Amino acid sequence: METSVVVRGSPSTLARMEQPKGVDWTVIILTCQYKDSVHVFQRELEVRQKWEQIPPGTLLLAVEDPETRVGSGGATLNALLVAAEHLSARAGFTVVTSDVLHSARILILHMGRDFPFDDCGRAFTCLPVEKPQAPVEAVVCNLDCLLDIMSHRLGPGSPPGVWVCSTDMLLSIPPNPGISWDNFRGARVIALPGSTAYARNHGVYLTDSQGFVLDIYYQGTEAEIQRCARPDGRVPLVSGVTFFSVETAEHLLATHVSPPLDACTYMGLDSGARPVQLSLFFDILLCMARNVNRENFLVGQPPEMGQGDSDVAGYLQAARAELWRELRDQPLTMAYVPDGSYSYMTSSASEFLCSLTFPGAPRARVVHSQVEELQLLGAGSSVVSCLLEGPVQLGAGSVLQHCHLQGPVHIGPGCLVSGLDTAQCEALRGLELHDLVLQGHHVQLHGAPGRVFTLVGRLDSWERQGTGTYLNMSWSEFFQKTGVRDWDLWDPDTPPAERCLLSARLFPVLHPSRVLGPQDLLWMLHPQEDGGKALRAWRACWRLSWEQLQPCLDRAATLASRRDLFFRQALRKVRHVLEARQDLSLRPLIRAAVREGCPGPLLATLDHVAAGAGDPGVAARALACVADVLGCMAEGQGGLRSGPAANPGWMRPFSYLECGDLAGGVHALAQERDKWLSRPALLVRAARHYEGAGQILIRQAVLSARQFVSTEPAEQPAPGQWVVAECPARVDFSGGWSDTPPLAYELGGAVLGLAVRVDGRRPIGARARRIPEPELWLAVGPRQDKMALKIVCWSLDDLQDYCQPHAPGALLKATFICAGIVHVGSKLSLREQLLHAFGGGFELHTWSELPHGSGLGTSSILAGAALAALQRAAGRVVGTEALIHAVLHLEQVLTTGGGWQDQVGGLMPGIKVGRSRAQLPLKVEVEEITVPEGFVQKLSDHLLLVYTGKTRLARNLLQDVLRSWYARLPAVVQNAHSLVQHTEECAKAFRQGSHT
C-alpha cells in the first residue's frame, strides 16, 4: 500500500496543487455477484465521480454477474458485452457493434468472492491510508487505491482498449512503472515480484526473453516456479491486471454469440443457455500462451472450477475450443514492474491484520478518526474511521474500523474489531480481547433490518478444508470448554467433511424476548462464570452460520452506516481543528459533506464554533468555512465568489458583530442564511456576505493596532497653506503576503523591503490645506490641478461610499474618517462638524506617477502620505511608526484590507525588515538593515522597473489569498511559513552584501 505525499510548492504558488492528468475512461464497469446490491455499487461509483476520482464524462455501470459462478472470465466477457451494448446505443446503433471499441478506454473491475472481514467485499475494504491532496475527504478503500493506480500509473500511455482489474488484492505501483506501448498488439498482463515461497499458492508467468508469455502456472511445482524465477530470485506473480487491445477485445467480444460461451453473458442466460464457468487467466489468457498446445488446453481445468465440477468438463472443453479458435493468434506479453508489490487478500485473519497494521512502527496509525486518548493506542496498530471517546485501549498489531466506542474498553493485541457503536460498549466492559475478530453486521431478515454480531479467532480458517478451529481452539476443546455440542451447530446428516466454521450455526440473529449484542458470543470466552445461563440463552436464539448469513447482509445499510460515522467523527474534527487553531485544510471535508447531501450538520457545527470562540481569528475562520460550504453548494454556478457584501438583509447580523456581540451575530447570520439557500446565485451572494462578516472580525482584530496610533499637537498652518508629503515607492524582496491580516497576527509576518525612487523622483504624494468653506475638496492626481479628478463633499451623504474602493475618491474619504476629522455616524452635519472643530473645511489632493495597480504599494503609501499631510494641516503631527499602524486602520475602513508591508516599505527610508508577531494587539516593528558600503549603489544599478500594462486591484487578489489561507490549503500554509523563513535568510544576505 502507498500513501499519498504532500507536494510542496514554491513560495509563489497560491493555487491548489493538481494531480497529474489520468486516463479519460470511456466506461468503468464494476462487476459483482450480489444481485440485490447492484444499485448500491452503482451509487458508490457515482459518488467517486462526484469526488473527482473519475472523469465527469465517464459512463459508470455496476453489472451483476449472470450467475454466481461464471468465473472471472465469464464476468469479463459479460462486462465487455454490456459496455459495447451501452456504447452502441450511445452511438445510435440498434445492435451491438464492436466498432464502438476503436476509440474507447474501458476499465472492468471485478469484485470477486465473499470476504469474511468486510460485508461489502474486498473492493470496499477500508485501508489505513490518507490522500491529503484529494479534492474530497473520504475513507480510502481498496477500490479507491486501485482506481488511482489504473488511472494514474498503469493506464496512462496505453492505447484504446480494455483494462481488466481484480479487486481482491492490494497493489503498490511506482509513479512511473516504465511500461512501453510502442507497436503494441494483442493482450498484456501486469506482473509484480514475489518470492518463490509466496508463489506456491498463487499464479506465476513463464516468459521468454522478449516478454512473450509462454505459460501460466497456478500453485505450480517447485520446478515450474524456479523456471519462472528472474535473476534476482523473485518470480513474476499474476497480479490480477490485464490489458486487451481493441483488436483482441473485438475477438473476445465475438465469442458472446458462440455456444457455449454465450452462456457467460446475460443474453445467453436470458436465452436459456446453460451457465459455464471460465477463468480470465487460465481459460481466456492461457490459450494465448506460446508453450500451450491445443490438446492440453482443451482437457485442462481452471483453478476456479473446483473438484466438484468435473461433470461439466465436456461443456468447458467446448468453450475452450471456441476461445482457442478466436484468440490463439493474439500475442500475449507481460509487463513486469520490479518496484511494485502484490498481496492477495486471503481469508486468513492473521494475514489480513498484517496488511492493515505496521509492525515495528512506534505509534498507531489513526486515519479519519477522532481519538481522545491517543497514548492508549498500541504501536503498529491502526484505527480507521472511528470515534473513540474516553479510555479506549488498543493492543499492538490490532485494527479498529468503523467503530464508535466509549471507554473504558480494552482490546488486546492481534484483534480486528469492526462495526460496533456505543450500544455495544457495555458488553466489552471488563474484558480484554486477544487474537479475536469481532464484527457488527447490518442484515435484512425477512425484510426487517437488524444487527448481527460475529466472533471468530484470529487463527481460525474460513476454508472448508481448514484447520478445524473456533476461537483459536479445536472444536473438541471448544465443545468441552463451552458446553456447546456439535448438534447445536450442524444437522445430524451433515457429512464430517462439511462440518466447518463456514457451516456452523454459531451466530445469534434473533431472540424471542430481547435485543442481541456481542455479549451473546463473548460469553464463550469465559463460559463457566454464569452457571450455564449464557449457554441456555444462546441456544434459545435463532442462529445462522456464516454461509447462511451472507445472503442476509444489507450492504446498503452497511455503507450508509459507515458514511454516517465518518461524518460524525468529521464534525468532531472540524471543531477540534478550528478551536485548536490547526493548520489543516477543511475544504476537502466541506466538499464531502456537500456532495453527500449533508451540509446542514456541518453548518450547525461551524455556527457553534464561531459563536463560542473567544478568539476573533477562530471565529473568522469558522465564518470563512461557512462561506466555503455555501460556495460549494452552488456547484460552480451563481457567479464569482468575490463581490459586494452590503445587502440590507445582512445588515442586522453585521451590526451585532460590529458591536462585539459575536454569539448574537452568528445566530442572526444563520437566520438570514436560511433565506438564501434555494439557488446558486443566492448561495454565492450569501457566501460573499459571510466573507464580509469575516472581514468585520478581521477589522476588529486589526483595529487593535490603533493603540499604537498617536498624534502630537502642533501649530496649525495658516488657511490656504499647503502641507506636502512625498514618498518613494517600495519593492519587497522577500516575505510579501505574510504581512496581510489575518496572517500577520495568526502566523506572524516578516517582510524585507526597499524604498525606491522612480526615475530619480518620489512618485507618490499628497498635499492638504485648510479652506474657509465648511466642505471637503478632494482631488485625485496628477500633480497639476487641471488634470485632477475633483470631488466636493457638502454633506455626510457624499462620504457614504468611503468603503467602496472603486468609488471616486474613496481612499481620500476614508482618510478624513480615520484621521478623526469627520464622523459619519455623528448627528451633526458635515458642515457643523467642520465649523465646530476647525472653523472651515479642507482640500486634499493625492497623486501617483505610477500606473494604477502597478504592485509597488501605491495605494497604501498614498494613504500614508494623505494621512500625514491631512493630520499636519489639522494641527497634529503623527510619527512614522504611528502612521504605519494608522494605514492598517484606514485600509480596513476602506475594505481593501491590506497588510503593512507597503507602508513600511514606502514610509520608512532605506532597506528594512518589518515584523509582526502571531498575537494581538497587532503591532508592527521595523528593523533597519545596515548593508556594506557600495551595496546600495550596486543594487540600484541592477534594478529595472518594467511596466507590463496589466493591473489588478489588491482587494480582489487579497480576497483570493485570504480564502486560501482560511481554507488552510497545504501549499498555501507551507508557502506562508516559507515566506517568513526566507525573509530572515534574505535579511542576513543583505547584511553581508551578498548578491548570490
Side-chain angles (χ1 to χ4, degrees):
M1 291 179 294
E2 293 186 340
T3 56
S4 298
V5 179
V6 176
V7 180
R8 295 180 177 179
S10 65
S12 63
T13 303
L14 294 175
R16 177 171 66 85
M17 296 292 187
E18 296 290 345
Q19 190 177 21
K21 181 176 174 57
V23 179
D24 284 330
W25 299 109
T26 310
V27 185
I28 293 180
I29 295 182
L30 180 63
T31 74
C32 67
Q33 63 183 14
Y34 313 118
K35 299 184 187 300
D36 59 342
S37 300
V38 171
H39 68 287
V40 177
F41 299 131
Q42 178 72 33
R43 182 190 183 279
E44 289 301 311
L45 287 177
E46 292 167 356
V47 164
R48 280 152 180 80
Q49 197 166 48
K50 291 181 181 178
W51 293 348
E52 301 178 30
Q53 289 179 230
I54 298 174
T58 303
L59 174 63
L60 304 177
L61 299 170
V63 177
E64 65 182 72
D65 294 341
E67 282 290 329
T68 303
R69 302 186 64 189
V70 296
S72 57
T76 299
L77 179 55
N78 184 67
L80 181 58
L81 171 61
V82 172
E85 188 176 19
H86 278 77
L87 292 177
S88 297
R90 265 190 176 186
F93 294 101
T94 57
V95 295
V96 176
T97 172
S98 62
D99 293 347
V100 295
L101 300 180
H102 290 178
S103 61
R105 299 178 186 275
I106 298 171
L107 174 61
I108 299 173
L109 298 158
H110 292 313
M111 285 192 60
R113 308 177 185 91
D114 296 331
F115 190 47
F117 310 117
D118 196 291
D119 293 349
C120 297
R122 293 171 173 86
F124 292 95
T125 296
C126 294
L127 306 177
V129 173
E130 287 185 301
K131 293 187 175 183
Q133 288 185 320
V136 178
E137 184 168 334
V139 177
V140 178
C141 66
N142 192 34
L143 176 66
D144 301 310
C145 291
L146 293 174
L147 275 171
D148 183 69
I149 286 172
M150 298 307 302
S151 299
H152 298 282
R153 304 203 172 187
L154 291 178
S158 63
V162 181
W163 281 95
V164 183
C165 179
S166 171
T167 61
D168 58 8
M169 72 290 187
L170 300 174
L171 292 185
S172 173
I173 302 292
N176 184 5
I179 300 174
S180 173
W181 296 96
D182 294 341
N183 302 315
F184 171 78
R185 65 179 293 265
R188 173 165 288 171
V189 292
I190 306 298
L192 297 169
S195 67
T196 55
Y198 192 86
R200 294 189 189 108
N201 293 311
H202 294 276
V204 291
Y205 295 112
L206 176 66
T207 62
D208 63 15
S209 59
Q210 294 180 303
F212 288 97
V213 175
L214 303 178
D215 210 337
I216 309 174
Y217 302 128
Y218 177 72
Q219 294 183 344
T221 65
E222 196 67 30
E224 289 173 333
I225 293 173
Q226 287 299 328
R227 203 176 300 144
C228 300
R230 303 182 76 82
D232 61 2
R234 299 186 295 177
V235 295
L237 296 175
V238 174
S239 69
V241 182
T242 306
F243 177 76
F244 294 97
S245 68
V246 170
E247 179 190 1
T248 306
E250 286 182 302
H251 279 277
L252 179 59
L253 180 61
T255 66
H256 88 274
V257 295
S258 303
L261 290 176
D262 62 340
C264 291
T265 70
Y266 83 93
M267 283 187 175
L269 291 175
D270 287 353
S271 301
R274 177 184 174 188
V276 61
Q277 184 175 8
L278 285 182
S279 166
L280 173 62
F281 294 92
F282 298 97
D283 286 315
I284 294 177
L285 293 176
L286 187 63
C287 72
M288 306 183 210
R290 290 191 168 187
N291 282 3
V292 175
N293 61 59
R294 188 175 186 276
E295 291 72 24
N296 290 338
F297 177 69
L298 293 184
V299 300
Q301 191 167 296
E304 294 179 27
M305 178 177 285
Q307 297 299 317
D309 298 316
S310 57
D311 60 321
V312 299
Y315 199 50
L316 176 62
Q317 186 171 339
R320 282 189 158 199
E322 188 62 30
L323 288 172
W324 185 275
R325 186 182 66 81
E326 278 289 347
L327 299 175
R328 180 57 187 174
D329 293 336
Q330 296 296 308
L332 177 63
T333 55
M334 180 188 77
Y336 182 67
V337 185
D339 296 329
S341 66
Y342 165 90
S343 176
Y344 180 73
M345 299 170 71
T346 71
S347 58
S348 162
S350 294
E351 293 181 14
F352 181 63
L353 282 169
C354 285
S355 68
L356 298 184
T357 54
F358 307 88
R363 292 181 295 274
R365 179 167 293 188
V366 179
V367 178
H368 300 299
S369 301
Q370 293 301 299
V371 181
E372 288 187 358
E373 300 188 33
L374 281 168
Q375 72 276 8
L376 298 180
L377 304 182
S381 60
S382 72
V383 179
V384 180
S385 192
C386 289
L387 187 54
L388 307 184
E389 302 172 302
V392 177
Q393 189 167 345
L394 184 64
S398 286
V399 175
L400 270 181
Q401 291 189 331
H402 315 298
C403 289
H404 182 184
L405 302 180
Q406 292 176 335
V409 171
H410 190 177
I411 298 168
C415 290
L416 167 64
V417 179
S418 175
L420 303 188
D421 57 36
T422 53
Q424 288 88 53
C425 289
E426 191 60 38
L428 301 177
R429 304 269 194 259
L431 294 177
E432 182 179 349
L433 308 183
H434 287 273
D435 297 318
L436 294 171
V437 177
L438 175 60
Q439 296 173 277
H441 310 271
H442 290 268
V443 295
Q444 284 276 343
L445 299 172
H446 297 294
R451 297 296 309 280
V452 173
F453 301 90
T454 57
L455 177 70
V456 298
R458 180 175 65 86
L459 303 178
D460 297 343
S461 172
W462 289 99
E463 303 296 332
R464 287 197 177 277
Q465 287 75 37
T467 56
T469 64
Y470 181 58
L471 298 181
N472 304 313
M473 66 185 92
S474 67
W475 285 112
S476 59
E477 185 181 353
F478 170 72
F479 294 150
Q480 182 178 2
K481 179 178 179 179
T482 62
V484 174
R485 296 294 177 255
D486 58 356
W487 59 78
D488 290 319
L489 306 180
W490 300 286
D491 294 332
D493 57 351
T494 303
E498 294 184 17
R499 297 191 176 196
C500 60
L501 181 55
L502 279 172
S503 60
R505 293 189 296 270
L506 282 160
F507 310 118
V509 298
L510 189 64
H511 190 277
S513 61
R514 62 179 176 84
V515 177
L516 297 175
Q519 68 275 7
D520 294 290
L521 288 167
L522 290 169
W523 68 270
M524 296 177 180
L525 303 177
H526 307 284
Q528 307 305 325
E529 296 180 356
D530 67 349
K533 181 180 178 182
L535 174 59
R536 291 190 295 273
W538 176 80
R539 281 180 169 152
C541 295
W542 174 30
R543 304 184 310 279
L544 295 178
S545 68
W546 180 253
E547 283 183 323
Q548 294 169 327
L549 198 56
Q550 281 297 304
C552 303
L553 294 175
D554 188 342
R555 294 174 182 85
T558 298
L559 292 170
S561 174
R562 292 178 183 180
R563 195 168 286 114
D564 175 70
L565 178 58
F566 170 78
F567 282 112
R568 271 188 281 153
Q569 68 81 26
L571 295 180
R572 300 281 185 98
K573 173 184 176 178
V574 168
R575 290 188 58 178
H576 179 70
V577 166
L578 293 176
E579 293 173 352
R581 303 172 181 83
Q582 293 182 340
D583 286 338
L584 291 177
S585 177
L586 295 177
R587 188 168 286 178
L589 192 53
I590 288 171
R591 291 195 185 104
V594 172
R595 294 178 188 185
E596 286 295 300
C598 50
L602 178 57
L603 288 171
T605 299
L606 293 171
D607 291 341
H608 179 80
V609 172
D615 183 319
V618 172
R621 184 181 175 190
L623 295 181
C625 287
V626 172
D628 268 352
V629 174
L630 297 173
C632 191
M633 290 171 67
E635 298 181 335
Q637 303 177 41
L640 298 174
R641 281 284 300 274
S642 298
N647 186 280
W650 296 86
M651 293 303 102
R652 175 173 161 270
F654 285 4
S655 67
Y656 283 112
L657 297 178
E658 296 282 9
C659 296
D661 184 358
L662 183 58
V666 171
H667 179 68
L669 283 169
Q671 286 182 318
E672 185 63 27
R673 179 182 71 213
D674 290 341
K675 306 172 187 176
W676 295 66
L677 304 179
S678 59
R679 63 180 190 273
L682 293 180
L683 286 164
V684 170
R685 291 165 63 191
R688 294 171 182 169
H689 284 84
Y690 262 92
E691 290 182 342
Q695 287 295 330
I696 293 174
L697 299 182
I698 292 175
R699 180 160 64 249
Q700 291 175 342
V702 174
L703 290 180
S704 64
R706 282 191 298 185
Q707 62 185 274
F708 306 112
V709 178
S710 60
T711 61
E712 297 292 335
E715 182 180 353
Q716 199 172 33
Q721 180 179 346
W722 287 104
V723 177
V724 181
E726 294 183 326
C727 301
R730 70 100 184 101
V731 174
D732 75 282
F733 279 85
S734 184
W737 290 111
S738 71
D739 64 301
T740 305
L743 279 76
Y745 57 81
E746 290 184 1
L747 171 72
V751 182
L752 187 146
L754 174 65
V756 295
R757 298 187 183 191
V758 178
D759 295 333
R761 299 195 305 273
R762 296 187 181 94
I764 301 167
R767 60 180 181 174
R769 65 177 178 179
R770 294 165 57 207
I771 58 176
E773 295 83 358
E775 302 163 355
L776 302 180
W777 296 358
L778 313 179
V780 180
R783 290 176 189 249
Q784 296 83 6
D785 283 345
K786 293 182 180 179
M787 302 287 292
L789 169 67
K790 296 184 179 180
I791 302 167
V792 178
C793 298
W794 287 286
S795 68
L796 292 178
D797 289 341
D798 297 325
L799 294 167
Q800 292 302 319
D801 57 357
Y802 69 90
C803 59
Q804 299 176 25
H806 291 288
L811 186 146
L812 280 66
K813 295 174 184 179
T815 300
F816 279 99
I817 293 168
C818 292
I821 292 175
V822 175
H823 302 278
V824 291
S826 173
K827 295 182 179 180
L828 298 177
S829 66
L830 176 62
R831 176 186 179 88
E832 292 168 335
Q833 291 184 48
L834 293 173
L835 288 174
H836 180 265
F838 303 102
F842 290 88
E843 182 177 358
L844 177 60
H845 180 194
T846 61
W847 63 86
S848 170
E849 298 174 358
L850 300 173
H852 175 69
S854 64
L856 294 174
T858 305
S859 58
S860 298
I861 298 170
L862 195 63
L867 277 169
L870 186 59
Q871 291 282 28
R872 185 66 188 87
R876 308 164 188 160
V877 175
V878 57
T880 306
E881 180 180 325
L883 199 58
I884 289 170
H885 293 87
V887 173
L888 273 174
H889 173 214
L890 185 148
E891 291 190 326
Q892 292 301 320
V893 170
L894 186 61
T895 72
T896 52
W900 46 255
Q901 70 143 322
D902 292 342
Q903 56 265 39
V904 168
L907 301 181
M908 297 285 287
I911 305 170
K912 78 290 288 184
V913 174
R915 298 184 182 89
S916 60
R917 300 181 184 182
Q919 64 183 39
L920 293 174
L922 175 58
K923 183 178 182 181
V924 183
E925 300 170 313
V926 183
E927 175 194 358
E928 184 178 352
I929 302 297
T930 303
V931 298
E933 185 177 353
F935 183 75
V936 172
Q937 184 58 49
K938 182 183 292 186
L939 191 62
S940 296
D941 292 342
H942 288 79
L943 285 178
L944 176 66
L945 181 62
V946 177
Y947 178 48
T948 65
K950 295 182 179 180
T951 64
R952 93 283 184 270
L953 181 63
R955 178 191 184 191
N956 291 343
L957 186 58
L958 177 63
Q959 283 181 333
D960 289 338
V961 173
L962 294 192
R963 200 173 289 136
S964 298
W965 169 253
Y966 272 135
R968 293 303 195 270
L969 300 185
V972 173
V973 172
Q974 175 62 34
N975 291 338
H977 285 280
S978 296
L979 289 173
V980 176
Q981 177 185 345
H982 293 163
T983 295
E984 301 303 337
E985 295 171 359
C986 189
K988 180 179 178 181
F990 267 79
R991 293 187 191 99
Q992 297 171 349
S994 172
H995 57 277
T996 59

